[in-house]
Amino acid sequence: MKLVRFGEPGAERPGLLDSENRIRDLSGVIADINGAALDPATLDRLRALDAGALPLAPAGARLGPCVGGVGHFIAVGLNYADHAAEAGLTPPAEPILFSKAPSCIIGPHDDVLIPPGSTKTDWEVELAVVIGSPCSRVHEAEALDHVAGYCLCNDISERAWQNERGGTWMKGKGAPTFGPLGPWLATREELGDANGRAMWLDLNGERMQTGNTENMIFRVPFIVSYISQFMDLRPGDVIATGTPPGVGMGRKPPLFLKAGDRMTLGIDGLGVQDLNVRDASRQAAA
């Protein structure tokens, strides 16, 4: 299944995509696409529905982030060796973990806002994992049993705040709009193997990132198992699994986002995001 959330920000309704990629309204069946809806029993109930019998969403409805009520929004740093190389860093022996603020999550076609004082806002196309059942100290061989599905993520980052302000990376990772998710959540059986998935990002029509999930240093089962050794993962938690090379920080000279830019990015099987970049200071003044 491809699960979506549609409607105005803060008032999204649950939906699924039918065989013709039309949004069908699930609000008569479940309250939201969130942790409570992502347990295996509820997903089985949704799979059994006749999608054609569900009402259609209004034409042109906005797509919101494909997961609501996210608790933990965790990310893995330097999980592609070639990205570590462009950053001038040694690939890690264990996953580097940091948090993104759940309040930074937006929809796949919403505006990305450059925060006041930012000078180095950057892009990162990533595969995100969505947890479907409680997960604590699980073995790698059982980790996928706790995954509801996958979605596309853009791990927007302010590099000066991340790397030049001391402390942890999370300073540069959680500003408002820094976590576009979607367009849809593909359940595990919908996507199949998360390895071997082509991924890309264009800036103003020019290809910046080209990669493949096959090149992750740490694969999804290991990542889920590893994180679960340090914290309990709960349904609806999201894990962004790292980015391939081609980020703005790694270019010579470096290139960062500015107002008026447009990012388009995708992962095979997980759809495409189109994101316009705006200046938060100017937007607030308007």
Side-chain angles (χ1 to χ4, degrees):
M1 288 182 297
K2 295 177 180 176
L3 300 173
V4 299
R5 300 171 72 246
F6 65 94
E8 294 305 307
E12 291 92 349
R13 302 171 72 173
L16 59 78
L17 297 184
D18 65 18
S19 60
E20 298 179 26
N21 284 326
R22 297 176 299 182
I23 301 174
R24 296 287 181 165
D25 190 342
L26 281 172
S27 57
V29 183
I30 55 174
D32 199 356
I33 305 297
N34 58 12
L38 295 174
D39 67 277
T42 302
L43 290 180
D44 283 344
R45 183 158 61 96
L46 297 181
R47 291 185 189 100
L49 294 173
D50 176 6
L54 296 169
L56 286 166
R62 166 189 172 268
L63 282 176
C66 59
V67 187
V70 174
H72 291 308
F73 190 5
I74 305 160
V76 182
L78 302 179
N79 196 28
Y80 290 72
D82 37 11
H83 172 53
E86 74 173 348
L89 299 170
T90 301
E94 294 189 35
I96 295 171
L97 305 179
F98 59 89
S99 292
K100 290 179 71 74
S103 58
C104 81
I105 295 173
I106 59 171
H109 309 306
D110 291 343
D111 289 347
V112 169
L113 303 180
I114 297 176
S118 168
T119 58
K120 298 180 180 180
T121 300
D122 205 348
W123 57 83
E124 296 188 19
V125 58
E126 304 202 8
L127 170 78
V129 178
V130 182
I131 299 299
S133 60
C135 181
S136 178
R137 303 190 64 82
V138 299
H139 294 293
E140 184 176 351
E142 301 166 349
L144 289 183
D145 294 339
H146 298 267
V147 171
Y150 306 92
C151 66
L152 174 62
C153 175
N154 191 349
D155 175 18
I156 308 292
S157 308
E158 211 301 336
R159 301 301 188 186
W161 300 353
Q162 175 187 351
N163 298 320
E164 300 169 20
R165 299 286 297 271
T168 69
W169 286 6
M170 67 181 292
K171 288 181 180 178
K173 295 288 189 172
T177 76
F178 271 27
L181 292 181
W184 59 72
L185 187 164
T187 52
R188 229 167 8 109
E189 83 286 350
E190 174 74 29
L191 187 70
D193 194 345
N195 293 326
R197 297 283 164 178
M199 55 202 308
W200 55 273
L201 182 145
D202 292 348
L203 178 65
N204 301 324
E206 180 181 352
R207 184 59 45 95
M208 296 289 158
Q209 289 187 274
T210 302
N212 194 294
T213 58
E214 187 70 29
N215 297 325
M216 288 195 292
I217 298 169
F218 306 106
R219 302 286 178 85
V220 170
F222 181 84
I223 289 170
V224 173
S225 172
Y226 182 86
I227 295 173
S228 80
Q229 309 306 307
F230 304 102
M231 66 183 74
D232 288 349
L233 294 170
R234 296 177 178 175
D237 287 348
V238 174
I239 304 168
T241 60
T243 198
V247 299
M249 161 180 83
R251 296 178 66 87
K252 301 188 185 330
L255 177 66
F256 298 110
L257 294 170
K258 64 184 185 305
D261 283 344
R262 183 184 182 95
M263 291 177 285
T264 309
L265 58 147
I267 295 178
D268 177 31
L270 295 177
V272 173
Q273 294 182 1
D274 290 294
L275 301 156
N276 292 315
V277 180
R278 301 280 184 259
D279 186 306
S281 299
R282 292 180 184 175
Q283 183 148 324

